[in-house]
Amino acid sequence: MCRFLAWAGAKRYLDELVLNQEQSLVIQSRNALIGKTPINADGFGLAWCSERETPCFYKDTNPAWSDANLKQLTHHTRSHLFLAHVRASTGTATSRNNCHPFGVGKWSFMHNGQAGGHDRIRQELDGMIPPDLYSHRLGATESEAIFLIAHGEGLDIDPIGAMERAVQRVEDLSRRRGTMPYLRFAACWSDGDRLFAARYASDRFAPSLHYKACKDGFIISSEPLDANSGEWTEIPANTAIETRGGALTSHAFEPKAPHHRAEVA
Amino acid sequence: MCRFLAWAGAKRYLDELVLNQEQSLVIQSRNALIGKTPINADGFGLAWCSERETPCFYKDTNPAWSDANLKQLTHHTRSHLFLAHVRASTGTATSRNNCHPFGVGKWSFMHNGQAGGHDRIRQELDGMIPPDLYSHRLGATESEAIFLIAHGEGLDIDPIGAMERAVQRVEDLSRRRGTMPYLRFAACWSDGDRLFAARYASDRFAPSLHYKACKDGFIISSEPLDANSGEWTEIPANTAIETRGGALTSHAFEPKAPHHRAEVA
Amino acid sequence: MCRFLAWAGAKRYLDELVLNQEQSLVIQSRNALIGKTPINADGFGLAWCSERETPCFYKDTNPAWSDANLKQLTHHTRSHLFLAHVRASTGTATSRNNCHPFGVGKWSFMHNGQAGGHDRIRQELDGMIPPDLYSHRLGATESEAIFLIAHGEGLDIDPIGAMERAVQRVEDLSRRRGTMPYLRFAACWSDGDRLFAARYASDRFAPSLHYKACKDGFIISSEPLDANSGEWTEIPANTAIETRGGALTSHAFEPKAPHHRAEVA
Amino acid sequence: MCRFLAWAGAKRYLDELVLNQEQSLVIQSRNALIGKTPINADGFGLAWCSERETPCFYKDTNPAWSDANLKQLTHHTRSHLFLAHVRASTGTATSRNNCHPFGVGKWSFMHNGQAGGHDRIRQELDGMIPPDLYSHRLGATESEAIFLIAHGEGLDIDPIGAMERAVQRVEDLSRRRGTMPYLRFAACWSDGDRLFAARYASDRFAPSLHYKACKDGFIISSEPLDANSGEWTEIPANTAIETRGGALTSHAFEPKAPHHRAEVA
């Protein structure tokens, strides 16, 4: 599993959230309080919106706590929208290409979770990636695959529905060929304008996901950045949220794998 | 393109060939004399036979010339059979998983060359890998794919024929969906006992490949390790060699892609 | 602080101790049970005796648990004497040159501990290194400095006494210019034949150190490698041990800094 | 030796100079046209002025040509003043702490050159660093030492004179204890407002240094970024330049080591 956070709102220096909090993301890289793996030290990554059309990515394989560049870059960079992630590998190698966030055009995406039996389904997952996007398949994680499959499902015009369908397809593959738990998914994605997040699992253990409404924007985070948890709202399972400007809206996020529909019928 | 060398024979310290030659492999990492790319500094790798059943791999992403571990390990390790490779990326990332040699069980493999239009054919290449070997697909290079496809073609029982068929299938894919030059291939592979090498291209520019018969074994190398080239034999294109004990035998290596056969008919 | 282990005895594969134990060193890199820092993921290092005159070093900056090379090398390498270390930085950068073990000629050395106020005394520490050994001053740790200062105190002819005097000099510097705790020191060093270890602190909290007598040799380790602790002996503070062949001898290790002597007088 | 460039003027994206030039700095990392070492692939570094009080540093040990982060960061970052450097080690390790530019407070510094016999004089060099700045001594290069010594000579109030005196002291040390060539020095430094550069050698071979006056600022570069060299001015040996706002002024840069003065007298 992994830990992540994102910001959308007024311009903020990244280190305010990534470093300078009671339970900052860098502290979570050594000592996450919620979730299965307290240590999230198999690399990290940032994506922030600049004045260019695409986000800027910085990723590396070191533990976040020891990377001097991370400290420098987050101290000097301000952005109205950014994503930050610390990784705990569920099997694939520690390499920059397996670090989140992933990017295609204006979109960025990061994930905490896994597809059960990933090693058995990886080749089929790779086959589900739209051919015209395969040049963006740089690593070996299921996370990157879900993101690229979501593009094929129409992320640009239906950001939540496309992600729902991608998750559904991957869960279905895991049910057919993988192992339990079939899918656990807490993710955050953005087109540089809106910030989306969703929480879901094929069992009862959807990875944690929270948000906090600030005066000047929204923080989405795997776990609260402080113990004063009254200000943090837990996002329920099977739910997606969307921030746009000063508003946050909530949506159902209920991937319906074919077997589910069959069961319902 | 890349540079490589291999040794089969009496036990030798690896640094004798990797470092302590007039035109050693490490010198080739900065200044290859033959081939398109004088600089081969996108990582390196070693595989050597130990007393265990599988070879030992050491790979890293630094230029070979600056890696202190490489100097240490090659100075202290002796083996009767080893492979060594310095990489010049033809597009894929500089990561350990893209460094040669690649390994499956007792087999190791390294390559200098490329499949034309690799980025366009990569997804199909991935689909050609035998499903039971996909867990060995760790990186994104066509080299690793060829090796895994060759396993599917029966590398264990027909080491040269299986490689020929794998090359044929990849060349055919490149002809259908890739770009010229369709395939260039100089490679070396071993089961820990025998050492194989082959040289081939779909055009007239097969990557360089040489060998030298020593008193106590054979060196195979992309380029001679000294200017005294009288002792080095160039392996002709469309040729494979095989060393076993003190003997070296030569074989035709002529992948026949379907279109070729059609043209011939 | 850090964790380490060493072996002296019959030839053993390194992974037997480094990886394949209930509480192996690699497990200690994520979850040390004794000591101040459960996470020791700021790099790692190995030194083993080969058939060459000097030991072979392999060091890298990744967490030990995610380094594929470490797994390979320890699986394929056997030695009658080796040192292995996982690092938790007490301030200096995560870089190969700050990873233990350190080496000079036939000697290797690794350390768990610190000199209080290292940053304030570092320049003086550097000045205490014998000029002819300054080319071996590759990193910035007090550990490496202590090792080089011990060489200047005659490590070759008096391995325990020289280390005692080096520790004494560094503690004295820390008392004059540094901060409390002045010195904590658990270390292991070897000339390739004998293995030495010592445990000491300027206060009551000497870092943990244990050994186990096996049928074919001795393991020295920061913490027991299994919960069956009946087989492990804790080395008392102010004590050094020495293994040679099948024998282990114990010595006082009581650095007497000048102020101590003054206090005593 | 190394290659570098710097910009002072209107805000520019860093990739305009670092990547998108006929002979960009990244191209110089593989193929420098002037200077002793065509390959400058032992790491790289950037320093740029942001809205914070100190510059932002990004350094890594990969060859500049293969670092995806470098491409991202330079594409998304604009600054009115930045320094960029690609390194060819003259002996010290490839590590982030040995990569230029170096920084103290608002100051940044980068260097192409060397002190002769650096390994012999390194300990004395370390001793010449002002004690209150020794916490900034992170690596082992003579370059970083010169920068810190210059601080001790009053860089804040006399940026060119202090550098002259630092160079003089290091050259003098090299003459006493090192080897020929005693000192070669092309460097660039900045307080975030003014940009300074100087070219000097103890023999006739001062490392190359050029500048180009653009409409909106000045480029300083080890070698011209295009073959249209009519727009580039070579900075003569024994000369420093200073840019401030739209103006560039030239100064003598003539370190007078004691022996020189003796000879003159």
Side-chain angles (χ1 to χ4, degrees):
Chain A
M1 315 297 267
C2 311
R3 300 277 92 181
F4 64 67
L5 67 75
W7 168 256
K11 276 196 176 184
R12 273 202 181 191
Y13 281 108
L14 274 62
D15 63 356
E16 285 180 31
L17 301 186
V18 173
L19 279 162
N20 305 330
Q21 298 284 327
E22 186 188 324
Q23 180 67 4
S24 74
L25 192 66
V26 167
I27 291 171
Q28 291 177 49
S29 74
R30 315 183 58 96
N31 191 25
L33 299 177
I34 307 179
K36 294 197 313 183
T37 47
I39 305 175
N40 297 276
D42 298 324
F44 65 86
L46 303 171
W48 67 84
C49 292
S50 72
E51 292 166 33
R52 298 278 201 181
E53 290 179 11
T54 56
C56 182
F57 292 87
Y58 172 65
K59 304 180 181 191
D60 215 339
T61 57
N62 315 311
W65 70 72
S66 67
D67 190 72
N69 288 328
L70 179 68
K71 217 166 168 178
Q72 286 283 325
L73 294 170
T74 58
H75 183 66
H76 288 275
T77 304
R78 291 203 305 165
S79 178
H80 70 278
L81 195 154
F82 57 85
L83 286 70
H85 186 275
V86 291
R87 183 169 179 250
S89 169
T90 52
T92 53
T94 300
S95 79
R96 285 190 182 177
N97 283 340
N98 286 341
C99 288
H100 309 221
F102 304 101
V104 173
K106 65 185 179 182
W107 286 95
S108 52
F109 171 85
M110 61 186 174
H111 173 222
N112 166 23
Q114 65 184 123
H118 175 232
D119 212 45
R120 299 190 199 174
I121 63 173
R122 194 157 60 92
Q123 192 172 28
E124 279 189 70
L125 264 185
D126 282 348
M128 285 161 63
I129 294 170
D132 59 317
L133 291 175
Y134 208 73
S135 61
H136 293 277
R137 176 54 155 166
L138 301 176
T141 62
E142 62 265 60
S143 306
E144 186 188 44
I146 292 171
F147 176 48
L148 296 174
I149 292 167
H151 274 279
E153 293 290 334
L155 197 67
D156 269 316
I157 51 171
D158 179 14
I160 291 174
M163 191 60 72
E164 216 171 14
R165 289 187 290 278
V167 166
Q168 169 190 311
R169 289 177 63 189
V170 175
E171 179 184 337
D172 191 49
L173 173 60
S174 175
R175 284 184 185 270
R176 281 190 290 110
R177 306 283 305 274
T179 58
M180 297 214 293
Y182 300 120
L183 202 85
R184 289 183 180 160
F185 179 83
C188 193
W189 62 106
S190 175
D191 61 357
D193 180 20
R194 296 163 294 171
L195 185 61
F196 304 91
R199 187 180 176 206
Y200 171 77
S202 57
D203 59 11
R204 278 177 298 173
F205 303 103
S208 64
L209 196 60
H210 299 76
Y211 74 86
K212 175 179 170 180
C214 305
K215 270 177 296 186
D216 57 344
F218 295 96
I219 308 171
I220 295 171
S221 179
S222 297
E223 56 189 73
L225 301 181
D226 55 66
N228 181 7
S229 60
E231 298 184 7
W232 292 88
T233 303
E234 187 174 13
I235 299 175
N238 305 321
T239 305
I241 61 168
E242 172 181 357
T243 78
R244 189 164 195 175
L248 182 146
T249 53
S250 185
H251 306 261
F253 189 84
E254 296 176 324
K256 288 284 174 283
H259 73 98
H260 267 142
R261 289 191 293 264
E263 284 166 12
V264 168
Chain B
M1 316 296 265
C2 311
R3 301 278 91 180
F4 65 68
L5 67 74
W7 168 256
K11 274 195 179 185
R12 274 203 182 192
Y13 281 107
L14 274 63
D15 64 354
E16 284 180 32
L17 300 186
V18 173
L19 278 162
N20 306 329
Q21 297 285 326
E22 187 187 326
Q23 180 69 5
S24 74
L25 191 66
V26 168
I27 291 170
Q28 291 177 48
S29 73
R30 315 183 57 97
N31 190 26
L33 299 176
I34 308 178
K36 294 197 312 182
T37 47
I39 305 175
N40 297 276
D42 298 324
F44 65 86
L46 304 171
W48 65 85
C49 292
S50 72
E51 291 165 35
R52 299 275 200 182
E53 290 179 10
T54 55
C56 183
F57 291 87
Y58 173 64
K59 305 179 180 192
D60 216 340
T61 56
N62 316 310
W65 69 72
S66 67
D67 190 73
N69 289 327
L70 178 68
K71 217 165 169 179
Q72 287 283 327
L73 295 171
T74 58
H75 183 66
H76 288 273
T77 304
R78 292 202 305 165
S79 179
H80 69 276
L81 196 153
F82 58 84
L83 286 70
H85 186 274
V86 291
R87 183 167 180 251
S89 169
T90 53
T92 52
T94 300
S95 79
R96 284 189 182 177
N97 284 339
N98 286 341
C99 288
H100 309 222
F102 304 100
V104 174
K106 66 186 179 182
W107 287 95
S108 53
F109 171 85
M110 61 186 173
H111 174 222
N112 166 24
Q114 65 184 122
H118 175 232
D119 211 45
R120 298 190 200 176
I121 63 172
R122 193 158 60 91
Q123 191 172 27
E124 280 190 69
L125 263 184
D126 282 348
M128 286 161 63
I129 294 170
D132 60 316
L133 291 175
Y134 208 73
S135 62
H136 294 276
R137 177 50 154 168
L138 301 176
T141 63
E142 62 264 61
S143 306
E144 186 189 43
I146 292 170
F147 176 48
L148 296 175
I149 293 167
H151 273 279
E153 294 290 334
L155 197 67
D156 269 316
I157 52 172
D158 181 13
I160 291 173
M163 192 60 74
E164 216 172 13
R165 289 187 291 278
V167 166
Q168 169 190 313
R169 288 177 63 190
V170 175
E171 179 184 339
D172 191 48
L173 173 60
S174 176
R175 283 185 186 272
R176 281 190 292 110
R177 305 283 304 275
T179 58
M180 296 216 291
Y182 300 119
L183 202 85
R184 289 181 179 161
F185 179 84
C188 193
W189 62 106
S190 174
D191 62 358
D193 180 22
R194 297 163 293 172
L195 185 61
F196 304 91
R199 186 181 178 206
Y200 171 76
S202 57
D203 60 12
R204 279 177 299 174
F205 303 104
S208 64
L209 196 58
H210 300 76
Y211 74 88
K212 175 179 169 180
C214 305
K215 271 178 297 186
D216 58 346
F218 295 96
I219 308 170
I220 295 171
S221 181
S222 296
E223 55 188 72
L225 301 181
D226 55 65
N228 182 7
S229 61
E231 297 183 8
W232 291 89
T233 304
E234 186 175 15
I235 299 175
N238 305 322
T239 304
I241 62 168
E242 172 180 356
T243 79
R244 189 164 196 175
L248 183 146
T249 53
S250 185
H251 307 262
F253 189 84
E254 296 176 325
K256 288 284 174 284
H259 73 99
H260 267 142
R261 290 191 292 264
E263 284 167 12
V264 168
Chain C
M1 315 297 266
C2 310
R3 300 279 92 179
F4 64 67
L5 67 75
W7 168 255
K11 276 196 176 183
R12 274 203 181 189
Y13 281 107
L14 275 60
D15 62 357
E16 284 180 32
L17 300 186
V18 173
L19 279 162
N20 305 329
Q21 298 285 326
E22 188 188 324
Q23 180 68 3
S24 74
L25 192 67
V26 168
I27 291 171
Q28 291 177 50
S29 74
R30 316 183 57 96
N31 190 25
L33 299 177
I34 307 178
K36 293 197 313 183
T37 47
I39 305 175
N40 296 276
D42 298 325
F44 64 87
L46 304 171
W48 65 86
C49 292
S50 72
E51 293 166 32
R52 300 275 202 182
E53 289 179 11
T54 56
C56 182
F57 292 87
Y58 172 64
K59 305 180 181 191
D60 216 339
T61 57
N62 316 311
W65 69 72
S66 67
D67 190 71
N69 289 327
L70 178 68
K71 217 166 169 178
Q72 287 283 325
L73 295 170
T74 58
H75 184 66
H76 288 274
T77 304
R78 292 204 305 166
S79 178
H80 70 277
L81 196 154
F82 57 84
L83 286 70
H85 187 275
V86 291
R87 183 169 180 251
S89 169
T90 51
T92 53
T94 300
S95 79
R96 285 189 183 179
N97 284 340
N98 285 341
C99 288
H100 310 218
F102 304 100
V104 173
K106 65 185 178 181
W107 286 95
S108 52
F109 171 84
M110 61 187 174
H111 174 224
N112 166 24
Q114 64 184 123
H118 175 231
D119 212 45
R120 299 190 201 174
I121 63 173
R122 194 158 60 92
Q123 191 171 27
E124 279 189 70
L125 264 184
D126 283 347
M128 286 161 63
I129 294 170
D132 59 317
L133 291 175
Y134 208 73
S135 62
H136 293 277
R137 177 52 156 166
L138 302 176
T141 63
E142 62 265 61
S143 306
E144 187 188 44
I146 292 170
F147 176 49
L148 297 174
I149 293 167
H151 273 280
E153 293 291 334
L155 197 66
D156 270 316
I157 52 170
D158 180 12
I160 291 173
M163 191 61 72
E164 215 171 13
R165 290 186 291 278
V167 166
Q168 170 190 313
R169 289 178 62 191
V170 175
E171 179 185 338
D172 191 48
L173 173 59
S174 175
R175 284 184 185 271
R176 280 190 292 109
R177 305 282 305 275
T179 58
M180 295 215 293
Y182 301 120
L183 202 84
R184 288 183 179 160
F185 179 82
C188 193
W189 62 105
S190 176
D191 62 358
D193 180 21
R194 295 164 294 171
L195 185 61
F196 304 91
R199 185 179 178 208
Y200 171 76
S202 57
D203 59 13
R204 279 178 297 174
F205 304 103
S208 64
L209 197 59
H210 300 76
Y211 76 86
K212 175 179 169 180
C214 306
K215 270 177 297 187
D216 58 344
F218 294 96
I219 308 170
I220 294 171
S221 181
S222 296
E223 56 189 73
L225 302 180
D226 54 66
N228 182 6
S229 61
E231 297 183 8
W232 292 88
T233 303
E234 187 174 13
I235 299 174
N238 304 322
T239 305
I241 61 169
E242 171 180 358
T243 80
R244 189 165 195 175
L248 183 145
T249 53
S250 185
H251 306 262
F253 189 85
E254 297 177 323
K256 289 284 173 284
H259 73 98
H260 267 142
R261 290 190 291 262
E263 283 167 13
V264 168
Chain D
M1 315 297 265
C2 309
R3 300 278 92 179
F4 64 67
L5 67 75
W7 168 257
K11 275 197 176 184
R12 274 204 183 192
Y13 281 107
L14 274 62
D15 64 355
E16 284 180 33
L17 301 185
V18 173
L19 279 161
N20 306 329
Q21 297 284 326
E22 186 187 326
Q23 180 68 5
S24 74
L25 191 67
V26 168
I27 291 171
Q28 291 177 48
S29 73
R30 318 183 54 98
N31 191 25
L33 299 177
I34 308 178
K36 293 197 312 183
T37 48
I39 305 175
N40 296 276
D42 298 325
F44 64 86
L46 303 171
W48 66 86
C49 293
S50 71
E51 292 165 32
R52 299 276 202 183
E53 289 180 11
T54 56
C56 182
F57 292 87
Y58 172 65
K59 305 180 180 191
D60 216 340
T61 56
N62 315 310
W65 68 74
S66 67
D67 189 72
N69 288 328
L70 178 67
K71 218 166 168 178
Q72 286 283 325
L73 295 171
T74 58
H75 183 66
H76 288 274
T77 304
R78 293 202 304 166
S79 179
H80 70 276
L81 194 154
F82 58 85
L83 286 70
H85 186 275
V86 291
R87 183 168 180 250
S89 169
T90 52
T92 52
T94 300
S95 79
R96 284 188 182 179
N97 283 340
N98 286 340
C99 288
H100 310 220
F102 304 101
V104 173
K106 65 185 179 181
W107 286 94
S108 53
F109 170 84
M110 61 186 174
H111 174 222
N112 165 25
Q114 65 185 122
H118 175 231
D119 212 45
R120 297 189 200 177
I121 63 173
R122 194 157 61 89
Q123 192 172 26
E124 279 190 69
L125 263 185
D126 283 347
M128 286 161 63
I129 294 170
D132 59 318
L133 291 175
Y134 208 73
S135 61
H136 294 277
R137 178 49 155 167
L138 301 176
T141 63
E142 62 264 63
S143 307
E144 187 189 42
I146 292 170
F147 176 48
L148 295 174
I149 294 167
H151 273 279
E153 293 291 334
L155 197 66
D156 270 315
I157 51 170
D158 180 13
I160 292 175
M163 191 61 72
E164 215 172 13
R165 291 187 290 277
V167 166
Q168 169 189 315
R169 289 178 62 190
V170 175
E171 179 183 338
D172 190 48
L173 173 60
S174 176
R175 285 185 184 271
R176 281 189 292 110
R177 305 282 304 274
T179 59
M180 295 215 293
Y182 301 119
L183 202 85
R184 289 182 180 161
F185 180 82
C188 193
W189 61 105
S190 175
D191 61 359
D193 178 22
R194 297 162 293 171
L195 185 61
F196 304 91
R199 186 180 178 207
Y200 171 76
S202 57
D203 60 12
R204 278 178 300 174
F205 303 104
S208 64
L209 196 58
H210 300 76
Y211 74 88
K212 176 179 167 179
C214 305
K215 270 177 300 188
D216 58 344
F218 295 96
I219 308 170
I220 295 171
S221 180
S222 295
E223 55 189 73
L225 301 181
D226 55 65
N228 182 7
S229 60
E231 298 183 6
W232 291 88
T233 304
E234 187 175 14
I235 299 174
N238 305 322
T239 305
I241 62 168
E242 171 181 358
T243 78
R244 189 166 195 175
L248 183 145
T249 54
S250 186
H251 307 262
F253 188 85
E254 296 177 323
K256 288 283 174 284
H259 73 99
H260 267 142
R261 291 191 291 262
E263 283 167 13
V264 169

